[in-house]
Amino acid sequence: MIAKRANELKDELIKIRHTLHKTPETDFVEFKTSAYIQKKLIEYGIPFEVKAMTGISAIIKGKNDGKTVLLRADFDGLPIKEESGVDFSSEIDGYMHACGHDVHAACLLGAAKILNEHKNEISGNIKLIFQPAEEGAGGALPMIKEGIMENPNVDGAFALHVEPLENVGNIQIKDGSVMASPDDFEIIIHGVGGHGAHPEECVNPISVGAEILRKYHTLSSDYKLPCVVTICSFNGGSCRNAIPDTAVITGTARSLDPITRKKLVELLKKIASDTATDMNASIEFNFNVLFPPVVNNSEMNKIVAESARQLGLNITYLTKPSMAGDDFSYFGERVPSSYFKLGVGNETIGAIYPIHSPKFKADDRALPLGAAIMAQSALNFLNK
């Protein structure tokens, strides 16, 4: 029933996805995107509320009482200039849907339409969360603080994410830690500037930064920590013959559990501070705690796997987590949840590029499959 209906909606889902793809917006200014999704929900007869400026919380109430399941799709874009070459490319210069959030929103709208058509056969409720700002400030927590997990209380949650390096329709699942906490940091190094001809009279903050960078590069292996530390910018000086007073390093520090996360912050600060002291410099260390790691519930994953089998989709069980991050983790902290991948790659649409690439593409044939597995997983959860 679900697979057939999802396939019937294919053209509609493609139109939705292409419309969203043309107008990517970011961090709580996704007003056109939000308005378009609201328009579709009104068309489908699904009541909703606007949360956290541009987010949308909609609900489908079944005929009978029961549990409540949450289905989440993020819908923000990225500040990346599109080079995909598709005929529905971004119309906003310098911005694109390079992470497939347009696909996520289209799939959830498809699932919403299917589930709403069968609400009289459902026991329980389905909350549909269209979330802003996943790529930046994070829209999940502000929406949660505005009450989306309550009235009725949510019992479990599902979210999918596109995977362009996997063939269309294949489902990837992993128990336990799936994604890391994507924290970031800034180190301001204070030295003593002067003429480049007389470095012995100076304390070069660039040299100090280079030594910090070298030590960070081997931190994971030196301390046997399951983490990733990457320096992403290193700025200091403005001319070729003068040593600057300061230099600034920024980077990302990613871990998969609270203990490692805490240890990592301590090590990053200590290494930078000790290195600077040894070289007669000083530092300011700023650490920005972002989203927690995404951790999957094995029972929720079993529901996704069974749903995939019912729909005839292939399943791959992953053994390694991704060191990327996603604020769906805030849902997983509160209720059992499953965050799984939907393959959207296919050589026939051109070379395959990863998410966040300016050449990123997603095969539209994945849209009804994504809608179907979201709808099927919701029903299987409510019927369990």
Side-chain angles (χ1 to χ4, degrees), residues 232-259:
C232 298
S233 73
F234 190 163
N235 296 293
S238 58
C239 65
R240 297 181 181 183
N241 63 348
I243 294 170
D245 284 319
T246 61
V248 180
I249 291 174
T250 67
T252 183
R254 295 168 183 256
S255 52
L256 296 163
D257 63 84
I259 295 174

Side-chain angles (χ1 to χ4, degrees), residues 307-326:
S307 301
R309 292 188 191 99
Q310 288 175 258
L311 298 168
L313 303 177
N314 294 323
I315 307 165
T316 299
Y317 293 91
L318 302 175
T319 58
K320 293 183 178 181
S322 166
M323 296 309 286
D326 194 301

Side-chain angles (χ1 to χ4, degrees), residues 319-356:
T319 58
K320 293 183 178 181
S322 166
M323 296 309 286
D326 194 301
D327 67 345
F328 182 72
S329 55
Y330 288 115
F331 297 108
E333 283 190 326
R334 289 161 172 79
V335 295
S337 65
S338 175
Y339 179 98
F340 60 96
K341 300 290 186 70
L342 171 70
V344 297
N346 192 306
E347 290 85 352
T348 61
I349 62 172
I352 298 175
Y353 296 94
I355 56 174
H356 289 220

